Amino acid sequence: MLPEVASWMRRRTSAVADWPLRSLLENKGSTRISVVLPARDEQETVGAIVGAIRRDLVDRAPLVDEIVVVDSRSTDRTAEVAAAAGADVVVQDEVLPEAGRMSGKGEALWKALYATSGDLVVFVDADLRDFSSAYVTGLLGPLLADPAVAYVKGCYDRPLLTGDRPAEGAGGRVTELVARPLINLHWPQLAGVMQPLGGEYAGRRSLLERLPFVTGYGVELGLLLDVHREAGLDAIAQVDLGRRVHSHQSTEALGRMSGQIMLTAWSRLQRHGRMLPLEEPSTGLVQFRRTAAGHEVRTGDVAVGERPPMVEVAGYATARRPLLS
Ligand SMILES: O=c1ccn([C@@H]2O[C@H](COP(=O)(O)OP(=O)(O)O)[C@@H](O)[C@H]2O)c(=O)[nH]1
Ligand SMILES: O=C(O)[C@@H](COP(=O)(O)O)O[C@H]1O[C@H](CO)[C@@H](O)[C@H](O)[C@H]1O
């Protein structure tokens, strides 16, 4: 590990217990805080997450100013469950319709930036089990305490729920097999970020609105690389949130996610002049499924799109955004 990375880890790594709610309330001042949950078919879990944030950080303590769930083409009751738990719900494809339709988690998060007003924006996945509002206070701690910090990533133990017993440390498969090696190969200054793909993170709007958002599952890697380039390593902090349990996708689905992560890494290597100009990579992905007659060939496309920095979007500066109802 580079000496500057070891130094960064010592200075910029903390834990939830370092950021008690009382100290956050003292530091909040006039800072407005939005919590955003991207949600596609998360009716089973979104309500408990929203309810915990609303109970602990709105009703009992005036820390969070709005909780927005982005309904990302759900086919279940995600929107109703989220609203009943106290969130404002925005429909992904109804935000900035003039910008056309793009897909995936990154699209949901980019639309959320338009649909919220917080000076600080906290992103939390909507498929978490055993969620605690301490995730949110942990992520906000460094941002409310230190103006030099602009982006905070959560880190945690990541079990893999298979069968009746969780396999400790076996989660974060794309992180461990794709993202971490890529980061160490090309961006060793970021090798100290323990959960680069983790879905719980927070940032200053003044930074986020100046960055492009990769659509699909490239959003976390894209933002991390762009924050590093735009604001520098010392603007990034990480907070140990303990343990993260979430719904898992299939290996086949994570194969497509991996393709999106690789395409995002490739795009930054090209854009940041880190690689000789090469022809555009293929975005096709051929996968295989066993069938009674042999194998089914499944050809997909893992292309990711990209949304421009929100500051470049007409109307953003004056958009009226939903306030906590
Ligand atoms: O098109 C999408 C895909 C995912 N998500 C949400 O983004 C979060 C993370 O997605 P997922 O759980 O699929 O990723 P994983 O955690 O399995 O890597 C979850 O709250 C999803 O509901 C979304 O809003 N739109
Ligand atoms: O970290 C990972 O490898 C993947 C998959 O995690 P699991 O192997 O299902 O625990 O999960 C993350 O990656 C996505 C892409 O960045 C994020 O959008 C998710 O929020 C995050 O859970």
Side-chain angles (χ1 to χ4, degrees):
M1 181 184 290
L2 296 171
E4 62 263 38
V5 175
S7 166
W8 172 82
M9 286 194 76
R10 286 192 298 273
R11 286 181 292 105
R12 287 295 196 218
T13 303
S14 59
V16 174
D18 297 324
W19 308 107
L21 177 57
R22 169 184 32 77
S23 71
L24 273 64
L25 291 169
E26 288 166 6
N27 290 337
K28 174 180 166 73
S30 61
T31 303
R32 292 182 53 76
I33 296 169
S34 303
V35 177
V36 168
L37 290 83
R40 181 184 63 180
D41 294 335
E42 305 295 5
Q43 67 181 10
E44 301 303 323
T45 47
V46 69
I49 299 168
V50 169
I53 298 168
R54 178 100 197 210
R55 179 193 64 227
D56 298 344
L57 306 179
V58 177
D59 298 341
R60 290 181 182 170
L63 182 68
V64 168
D65 297 288
E66 60 179 346
I67 306 169
V68 173
V69 168
V70 182
D71 181 3
S72 185
R73 299 180 190 160
S74 296
T75 59
D76 66 5
R77 298 184 61 254
T78 292
E80 296 90 333
V81 171
D88 288 315
V89 179
V90 297
V91 177
Q92 175 179 307
D93 294 324
E94 293 176 7
V95 178
L96 283 174
E98 62 276 22
R101 287 163 58 103
M102 298 183 87
S103 298
K105 183 186 179 184
E107 174 73 350
L109 297 186
W110 187 74
K111 296 290 184 73
L113 207 53
Y114 186 85
T116 55
S117 61
D119 305 303
L120 303 182
V121 185
V122 184
F123 297 112
V124 175
D125 280 1
D127 66 337
L128 302 179
R129 324 278 180 84
D130 310 331
F131 172 81
S132 159
S133 60
Y135 275 33
V136 174
T137 52
L139 292 170
L140 287 168
L143 290 164
L144 287 172
D146 185 347
V149 173
Y151 198 72
V152 180
K153 288 290 292 190
C155 57
Y156 16 58
D157 300 339
R158 298 189 63 178
L160 187 66
L161 304 181
T162 51
D164 55 355
R165 288 173 54 81
E168 293 305 325
R173 291 161 289 173
V174 176
T175 295
E176 300 307 334
L177 297 173
V178 178
R180 198 180 307 286
L182 274 174
I183 287 169
N184 278 266
L185 241 64
H186 299 297
W187 297 276
Q189 261 209 350
L190 291 170
V193 178
M194 290 187 261
Q195 286 297 336
L197 300 190
E200 289 65 51
Y201 46 104
R204 296 189 192 283
R205 176 179 296 272
S206 56
L207 173 61
L208 295 171
E209 67 188 8
R210 291 186 284 113
L211 300 177
F213 274 53
V214 178
T215 61
Y217 288 112
V219 61
E220 277 83 21
L221 183 62
L223 281 175
L224 181 62
L225 298 181
D226 291 346
V227 165
H228 177 232
R229 184 173 177 84
E230 180 76 18
L233 181 62
D234 214 51
I236 301 170
Q238 62 187 349
V239 180
D240 186 344
L241 304 178
R243 194 166 188 266
R244 180 194 197 234
V245 182
H246 70 121
S247 312
H248 299 295
Q249 300 185 66
S250 67
T251 301
E252 185 182 282
L254 295 193
R256 292 190 291 276
M257 178 189 289
S258 299
Q260 295 190 328
I261 297 291
M262 291 178 184
L263 286 169
T264 302
W266 188 93
S267 74
R268 278 8 188 214
L269 287 170
Q270 287 292 301
R271 183 173 305 171
H272 301 160
R274 300 282 310 281
M275 202 158 90
L276 292 175
L278 295 174
E279 62 187 34
E280 281 297 306
S282 160
T283 61
L285 178 66
V286 179
Q287 294 175 303
F288 302 91
R289 277 184 189 173
R290 164 70 72 181
T291 62
H295 287 87
E296 176 193 0
V297 179
R298 296 173 61 82
T299 302
D301 190 299
V302 293
V304 287
E306 186 170 275
R307 288 297 196 177
M310 191 54 76
V311 290
E312 297 174 10
V313 174
Y316 166 65
T318 56
R320 192 206 69 77
R321 303 182 185 100
L323 297 182
L324 196 66
S325 47

